[in-house]
Amino acid sequence: MKLVITPKPLQGSVTPPPSKSLAHRALIAAFLAGEANPLPDLPESQDILATRECLSALREGKPMDCRESGSTLRFLIPVALALRGEGAFTGRGRLMERPQTPYFEIFHEKNIFFAQKDHILTLKGRLPPGQYRLPGNVSSQFITGLLFALPLLEGDSEIILTTPLESRGYVDLTLDVLQKHGISIENREYQTFIVPGGQKFQAAPCTVEADWSQAAFWYAANFAGCQLQIEGLNFDSAQGDKQAAALYWPMARPGDLDIDLAHIPDLAPPLAAMAAVRRGTTRFVNGGRLRLKESDRIAAITAALNALGAQAEETPEGFVVYGLPRLEGGGPVDCQNDHRIAMMAGILACCAQRPSALLGAECVQKSYPQFWEEFARLGGDIYVVPLG
């Protein structure tokens, strides 16, 4: 889909959708507690639909299509081995190219068979209780997957991180959901997690709060000159991306600024949008893992910003943005099948000086299917150009 956005500041009230990160975890916990149809009223992005479908397939012993959801794949790999001793996973886009090395090294050690061919990952072998060593700076998703699976085993286990944990907020979310479902895990300063075996997940009422990762794009809109009231957010949330609110005012002050992405990688696109129009140079550091997302997100962010008239350049582990008072706009911006790139570009386009074109803007279906509908409701001037 090619979308043309004519500059027009957004106004009004907006409530972000339910947290995708929490929804993944709540669905898996409810499944492990034996609930037949958890969270039936949850609005379904493509990622959440992937988790729901894969849980049904796991229950029936069928291959699991994770679509493009890295969370679904990495959360359910160890769960499948704990419950069934086998599993077959596939995916779309770049998903099956994204690294699974921490799991594969564990499988070598634990004598679990794995093979990946034609975008299908096949696994066979029971996950045994014991010690699990893995890095903390590749993706917290591997840690979350083990935290869900290890309580199901007969014996006790421990997870030992061989490097400092990044994206700590996502592990906090996991531990919170597990605790609410009756699972006890001892967290020793985010270096070791002690997991007693033989535990049972318990059904628990669950409301999925609004998504701070998505709210950050509306914060970016306000930063760029829009007038939005962002509603429904929990400022005491365990979501690490609530840092979007805390970083707003430091970014509003002129001058050079360094932003560490180690614990907030998903905030890189909305914060980059803010950096493009702030007074000063913003250096984003410790974001090397962004190259392994739906796109090479470092390259995609800088390419999209520059296409809209911003000044940005890549670094090996991040990027630098040289702020301008207002962007020229134009494009076209290749969204690179990355939902967060599309939303970042849309926010900047509504406050640019001339119309901008976005290519592949439908990729917001992955996490925020209503984004363009909300954008238009808030006064955004968008036009879909038919392809072909």
Side-chain angles (χ1 to χ4, degrees):
M1 179 176 78
K2 180 179 180 180
L3 199 68
V4 175
I5 301 175
T6 299
K8 185 179 178 184
L10 308 179
Q11 298 182 52
S13 298
V14 60
T15 301
S19 166
K20 182 165 71 79
S21 297
L22 273 173
H24 283 302
R25 290 161 171 79
L27 286 171
I28 295 170
F31 168 83
L32 294 173
E35 295 184 46
N37 185 31
L39 302 173
D41 299 324
L42 185 70
E44 304 231 314
S45 65
Q46 292 295 312
D47 278 9
I48 297 307
L49 183 59
T51 290
R52 201 183 286 279
E53 291 175 343
C54 283
L55 289 172
S56 295
L58 177 59
R59 183 180 281 117
E60 298 169 6
K62 296 179 179 179
M64 287 160 273
D65 181 357
C66 300
R67 297 177 180 249
E68 296 184 57
S69 174
S71 295
T72 304
L73 176 63
R74 290 170 174 168
F75 292 175
L76 292 185
I77 282 175
V79 171
L81 293 175
L83 291 178
R84 303 188 63 87
E86 62 181 3
F89 294 86
T90 188
R92 310 173 196 179
R94 295 183 64 192
L95 179 62
M96 303 310 290
E97 301 169 13
R98 294 169 70 176
Q100 309 300 330
T101 305
Y103 280 156
F104 291 167
E105 290 179 348
I106 287 171
F107 298 160
H108 276 301
E109 179 186 343
K110 307 294 185 183
N111 295 317
I112 293 172
F113 170 83
F114 67 93
Q116 188 163 335
K117 183 180 180 182
D118 298 329
H119 295 280
I120 298 175
L121 173 63
T122 303
L123 307 165
K124 193 169 183 62
R126 287 282 177 186
L127 201 66
Q131 189 178 95
Y132 288 80
R133 302 176 66 87
L134 73 165
N137 63 341
V138 176
S139 173
S140 65
Q141 293 170 347
F142 298 108
I143 300 162
T144 286
L146 289 172
L147 288 171
F148 270 109
L150 296 181
L152 303 171
L153 308 181
E154 292 184 0
D156 299 343
S157 300
E158 61 179 348
I159 300 171
I160 300 174
L161 301 187
T162 58
T163 58
L165 176 63
E166 297 185 1
S167 297
R168 180 179 296 182
Y170 291 107
V171 173
D172 287 337
L173 282 180
T174 302
L175 294 173
D176 184 59
V177 169
L178 291 171
Q179 187 272 329
K180 289 176 179 175
H181 286 81
I183 300 300
S184 175
I185 291 174
E186 181 184 348
N187 175 9
R188 296 183 178 175
E189 298 182 346
Y190 298 95
Q191 297 175 347
T192 302
F193 299 88
I194 306 300
V195 187
Q199 300 190 63
K200 302 290 185 184
F201 280 76
Q202 301 169 11
C206 186
T207 300
V208 181
E209 65 189 33
D211 195 321
W212 272 101
S213 303
Q214 313 294 21
F217 290 100
W218 302 124
Y219 271 85
N222 279 345
F223 195 95
C226 299
Q227 295 182 345
L228 299 176
Q229 295 80 49
I230 307 167
E231 300 180 342
L233 293 169
N234 176 13
F235 283 82
D236 295 320
S237 173
Q239 296 179 62
D241 285 349
K242 68 182 180 182
Q243 281 295 309
L247 288 168
Y248 187 96
W249 294 112
M251 295 196 76
R253 292 193 290 268
D256 294 352
L257 181 66
D258 287 359
I259 293 182
D260 190 336
L261 296 172
H263 295 294
I264 51 170
D266 284 347
L267 288 185
L271 293 178
M274 296 184 198
V277 294
R278 69 179 293 267
R279 290 176 291 171
T281 297
T282 313
R283 299 175 182 86
F284 292 85
V285 300
N286 294 327
R289 290 175 299 147
L290 291 168
R291 295 195 184 276
L292 304 174
K293 297 290 187 178
E294 288 83 349
S295 65
D296 175 342
R297 199 168 278 168
I298 290 175
I301 287 172
T302 54
L305 291 182
N306 290 332
L308 291 170
Q311 295 181 1
E313 61 186 24
E314 296 182 43
T315 65
E317 296 292 315
F319 53 97
V320 181
V321 183
Y322 305 95
L324 298 171
R326 194 174 181 190
L327 302 189
E328 178 70 18
V333 174
D334 182 355
C335 297
Q336 300 194 35
N337 197 37
D338 190 326
H339 52 132
R340 300 192 194 279
I341 300 301
M343 289 186 278
M344 177 193 75
I347 293 302
L348 286 174
C350 76
C351 299
Q353 298 184 63
R354 62 189 179 96
S356 303
L358 278 59
L359 306 179
E362 71 276 8
C363 61
V364 298
Q365 294 288 329
K366 187 175 194 294
S367 65
Y368 199 164
Q370 304 83 21
F371 181 78
W372 296 121
E373 179 181 331
E374 288 285 81
F375 190 94
R377 182 184 65 79
L378 295 166
D381 188 341
I382 58 178
Y383 171 67
V384 177
V385 178
L387 298 180

